[in-house]
């Protein structure tokens, strides 16, 4: 059945964010738990009337609390450099590098707490509990990881549909296989797509049925850019090359409104490629129809 490109393109999505995309709470809780004892010790500074002396006393008795300080400023590094009219200082929050609990060290770190505003935060009772506060900080920092999580969303989605079609990982479907691995495993000549063995391509997934090997690429583009044109052109070439190989089929799952900016190049690939599909196709059971 011949498909209409514009109709197919109209079904592309603006986003494929899943429920775990926004915040990885398991990671947040793990990071907080790792310093929960130190945070609870520092909780004694909340509302302190003599916070500088109390802080220095904590450093004297519990120097390990140092490692919990950077995250109070939303910093993961254990070294922080600060500069003002009194000069610069590299603060070490790694206990191994915080060599001696001298009064000079304690005075300098108290200066850090004062100048960064952390003493104000604690002394003025602007927060009630550092564990809760750091949970919030970690949640904010984790939102920066969305880009990395987003890069795997389409891969994960495609894998779930492969599994839903009845395929089992490392039995009849495989993740991230290179051309040489496919060649060695099933004794198939893929030189047509490896430039006679000079290029090493990796497929996101490989599905193996009784009569066919399917090399699968996946991607999702929520925004446009020059990369989309390059991707469309390269996959068009790959599709034409794999058409010459008996027993091997190239399948491309793609989606995303970003393709609107590279519509013409995508259409050229669509016109020559039999197995190019979007998320809607997967929802309509395309896996069961093509992997035979």
């Amino acid at each position: 059945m011949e498909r209409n490109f514009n109709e197919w393109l109209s079904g592309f999505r603006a986003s494929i964010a899943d429920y775990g995309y926004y915040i990885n709470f398991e990671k947040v809780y793990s990071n907080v738990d790792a310093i929960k004892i130190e945070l609870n010790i520092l909780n004694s500074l909340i509302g302190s009337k003599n916070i500088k002396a109390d802080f220095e006393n904590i450093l004297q008795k519990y120097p390990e609390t140092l490692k919990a300080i950077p995250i109070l400023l939303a910093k993961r590094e254990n070294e922080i450099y600060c500069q003002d009219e009194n000069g610069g200082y590299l603060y070490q929050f790694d206990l191994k590098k915080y060599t001696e609990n001298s009064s000079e060290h304690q005075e300098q770190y108290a200066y850090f707490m004062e100048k960064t505003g952390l003493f104000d935060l604690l002394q003025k009772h602007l927060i009630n509990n550092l564990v809760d506060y750091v949970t919030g900080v970690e949640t904010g920092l984790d939102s920066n990881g969305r880009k990395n999580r987003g890069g795997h969303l389409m891969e994960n989605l495609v894998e779930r549909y492969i599994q839903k079609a009845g395929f089992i990982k490392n039995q009849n479907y495989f993740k991230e296989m290179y051309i040489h691995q496919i060649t060695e495993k099933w004794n198939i000549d893929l030189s047509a797509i490896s430039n006679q063995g000079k290029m090493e391509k990796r497929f996101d997934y490989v599905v193996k049925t009784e009569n066919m090997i399917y090399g699968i690429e996946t991607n999702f583009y929520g925004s446009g850019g020059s990369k989309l044109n390059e991707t469309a052109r390269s996959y068009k070439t790959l599709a034409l090359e794999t058409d010459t190989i008996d027993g091997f089929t190239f399948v491309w799952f793609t989606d995303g409104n970003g393709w609107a900016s590279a519509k013409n190049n995508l259409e050229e690939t669509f016109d020559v490629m039999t197995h190019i599909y979007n998320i809607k196709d997967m929802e309509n059971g395309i896996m069961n129809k093509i992997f035979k």
Side-chain angles (χ1 to χ4, degrees), residues 42 52 55-56 59 65-75 77-84 86 88-93 98 104-120 122:
L42 291 173
K52 182 176 182 291
F55 174 72
E56 291 181 2
L59 282 192
T65 56
L66 278 172
K67 69 179 183 180
I69 292 175
I71 196 64
L72 302 181
L73 298 173
K75 294 280 288 182
E77 300 84 357
N78 57 21
E79 292 185 348
I80 298 178
Y81 181 84
C82 291
Q83 175 83 44
D84 65 7
N86 293 320
Y89 193 88
L90 180 63
Y91 294 89
Q92 306 276 4
F93 296 95
Y98 182 79
E104 179 185 350
H105 276 94
Q106 292 160 17
E107 181 81 22
Q108 187 68 50
Y109 281 80
Y111 186 79
F112 174 89
M113 296 290 286
E114 178 188 357
K115 290 297 184 178
T116 57
L118 288 175
F119 273 170
D120 272 350
L122 297 165

Side-chain angles (χ1 to χ4, degrees), residues 126-267:
L126 298 176
I127 57 172
N128 295 315
N129 186 296
L130 282 174
V131 175
D132 293 342
Y133 170 82
V134 171
T135 300
V137 171
E138 284 285 355
T139 300
L141 288 175
D142 188 75
S143 67
N144 296 327
R146 290 174 188 167
K147 184 177 181 180
N148 292 331
R149 289 193 289 270
H152 297 287
L153 284 174
M154 189 66 170
E155 283 185 28
N156 296 340
L157 185 63
V158 169
E159 184 171 19
R160 288 198 291 270
Y161 277 104
I162 291 173
Q163 294 170 342
K164 189 176 181 181
F167 294 90
I168 301 172
K169 189 174 184 179
N170 296 328
Q171 290 188 23
N172 49 15
Y173 92 85
F174 305 83
K175 186 172 183 178
E176 297 180 347
M177 286 193 80
Y178 287 91
I179 286 176
H180 81 272
Q181 294 174 314
I182 300 170
T183 299
E184 293 169 3
K185 189 171 183 64
W186 293 293
N187 193 29
I188 184 172
D189 182 7
L190 298 180
S191 58
I193 60 173
S194 66
N195 191 20
Q196 305 304 314
K198 298 175 184 177
M199 183 185 75
E200 183 65 298
K201 176 173 177 50
R202 186 189 74 181
F203 289 95
D204 291 333
Y205 295 101
V206 172
V207 167
K208 179 67 172 72
T209 65
E210 186 176 347
N211 301 311
M212 187 62 64
I213 300 168
Y214 298 90
I216 301 167
E217 286 291 321
T218 71
N219 42 50
F220 182 93
Y221 295 106
S223 58
S226 58
K227 183 179 179 180
L228 282 77
N229 289 318
E230 179 185 340
T231 299
R233 284 192 295 266
S234 65
Y235 284 3
K236 175 184 176 181
T237 301
L238 183 59
L240 293 172
E241 290 172 343
T242 55
D243 282 347
T244 67
I245 303 173
D246 290 332
F248 188 89
T249 297
F250 175 47
V251 183
W252 182 19
F253 294 101
T254 192
D255 211 303
N257 286 348
W259 278 114
S261 67
K263 175 181 175 181
N264 292 337
N265 286 84
L266 182 62
E267 186 172 10

